[in-house]
Amino acid sequence: MAPKRELGGVGRASRSQDSPAPKTKTEEGPADKQAKPEKGPAAKQTKTAIGAKQTKQAKKTTAPPALGKLSYFPVYAKGLQLALIAEESGLLWSGQTLTDSPDGSVWPDGWPALKASGKCPFGQMPILETAEGVVIGQSLAIANFMGRKGDMFGSGDADFAKSQMCFAEGEDIYALLLGAGLQRWQSAEARGAKAADQAELFAELLPAHVAYLEALCSAGGGFTSTGATCGELYLVGMLLQVTLAAPAGGAILDAHPKLKAWFTTTMARPAVKSVLEGKSAIGKMDVYFVTDKEFATIKAAA
């Protein structure tokens, strides 16, 4: 809770008790004239200084608005991008990850119980329970809500449009990763059956998307005037998941210098690092789309 602001100065009601009675004209002398308030630049400077101080005090006593509580599974998938936006917004938020079983989950009986409760608008996660009491489903709706709350659409209509383009492209990339069967929970048989799709994804489909992004990206500055709109953060989360699943890793961006420079700069932002290190409100999340090597390690440990 924000601290109460203490008001300085003398209130209007105290004037009649504390102020001396007005002097008559005959009582007024040189000393009284000298004591009159200053006028001119000096007085204006004093007034300005007081105003700045009052403004600073007001900012200190005003708590930032709250985004709400974000709930998702303990994996990147559709949760990473939302956590990046929430953390970058600078607004208050909380988060929790739920599993398919009661063990280790924050919610009383894990995800099945939350789904059965009817709280999720579309029977799925992520969801955001807002400070206003609204439960928002669907990733893009949540991301845009956060962006609006945090003023993260850039400057003007062009930035807004480009931010929305980044959202849409991020969704296209996610659909490609899903279609190739790269999820960590797949069976070995199911993953093997998608081998041809995976080869096409990394040899043709993703390189084409990355080339389009390179053409739209400014020299190291991203796609908008800020380089860090909510749409761009959404896109960078998807690109990170591409680099984690690609056989070539981050080298998939090497032939695209503008895109790689922006990606590298964004990954170094304090809010992004906080999420990736598991230090944000949502806690630790695991990689969702994995390489063949990581997939084999996961299955061997199961």
Side-chain angles (χ1 to χ4, degrees):
M1 184 175 10
K4 293 184 179 178
R5 181 178 171 187
E6 295 181 8
L7 300 177
V10 179
R12 195 176 285 179
S14 64
R15 177 168 183 162
S16 60
Q17 299 172 5
D18 300 330
S19 300
K23 294 183 179 181
T24 62
K25 191 172 183 179
T26 56
E27 293 175 320
E28 210 173 70
D32 299 286
K33 289 181 180 179
Q34 291 174 4
K36 287 184 178 179
E38 288 185 9
K39 292 184 179 180
K44 290 181 180 178
Q45 289 174 4
T46 302
K47 186 175 181 181
T48 302
I50 292 173
K53 184 177 181 181
Q54 289 175 339
T55 302
K56 189 175 181 181
Q57 290 174 342
K59 287 181 179 178
K60 285 183 178 180
T61 58
T62 304
L67 286 177
K69 181 171 71 175
L70 178 65
S71 298
Y72 194 58
F73 300 105
V75 292
Y76 285 169
K78 285 297 187 78
L80 171 62
Q81 295 70 229
L82 301 181
L84 293 177
I85 296 170
E87 191 73 359
E88 184 69 38
S89 76
L91 303 180
L92 300 174
W93 68 289
S94 61
Q96 65 176 0
T97 55
L98 293 84
T99 63
D100 286 326
S101 66
D103 299 333
S105 67
V106 177
W107 222 74
D109 296 307
W111 162 234
L114 175 58
K115 184 176 182 179
S117 74
K119 178 177 283 189
C120 304
F122 297 97
Q124 60 189 16
M125 292 194 293
I127 60 169
L128 180 72
E129 299 172 67
T130 73
E132 297 84 358
V134 177
V135 179
I136 305 175
Q138 301 293 0
S139 298
L140 291 185
I142 295 170
N144 273 292
F145 174 84
M146 290 176 170
R148 181 180 171 89
K149 279 278 193 177
D151 191 19
M152 300 172 69
F153 289 120
S155 176
D157 293 342
D159 274 2
F160 174 80
K162 291 174 183 177
S163 178
Q164 295 301 309
M165 287 169 61
C166 289
F167 274 132
E169 176 62 6
E171 287 293 277
D172 284 352
I173 289 173
Y174 187 82
L176 290 175
L177 292 170
L178 276 180
L182 296 166
Q183 301 92 314
R184 64 185 295 128
W185 53 262
Q186 292 274 16
S187 67
E189 293 76 17
R191 187 179 178 99
K194 290 282 188 177
D197 294 327
Q198 293 160 17
E200 181 187 20
L201 174 68
F202 293 115
E204 301 176 24
L205 300 179
L206 283 176
H209 279 265
V210 171
Y212 290 137
L213 289 171
E214 173 73 6
L216 292 170
C217 189
S218 63
F223 302 87
T224 69
S225 62
T226 70
T229 60
C230 49
E232 285 165 298
L233 290 167
Y234 198 88
L235 175 61
V236 88
M238 293 301 183
L239 287 175
L240 173 61
Q241 295 195 70
V242 166
T243 66
L244 292 171
I252 194 171
L253 303 179
D254 283 353
H256 309 282
K258 293 186 296 182
L259 182 65
K260 184 175 181 178
W262 166 76
F263 177 81
T264 302
T265 299
T266 306
M267 292 296 292
R269 296 178 73 92
V272 174
K273 291 173 69 175
S274 175
V275 173
L276 298 180
E277 292 170 4
K279 297 177 181 177
S280 76
I282 197 82
K284 184 181 182 300
M285 293 184 288
D286 290 323
V287 176
Y288 186 58
F289 300 109
V290 296
T291 63
D292 287 341
K293 182 178 180 180
E294 180 65 17
F295 181 78
T297 301
I298 291 170
K299 294 306 174 183

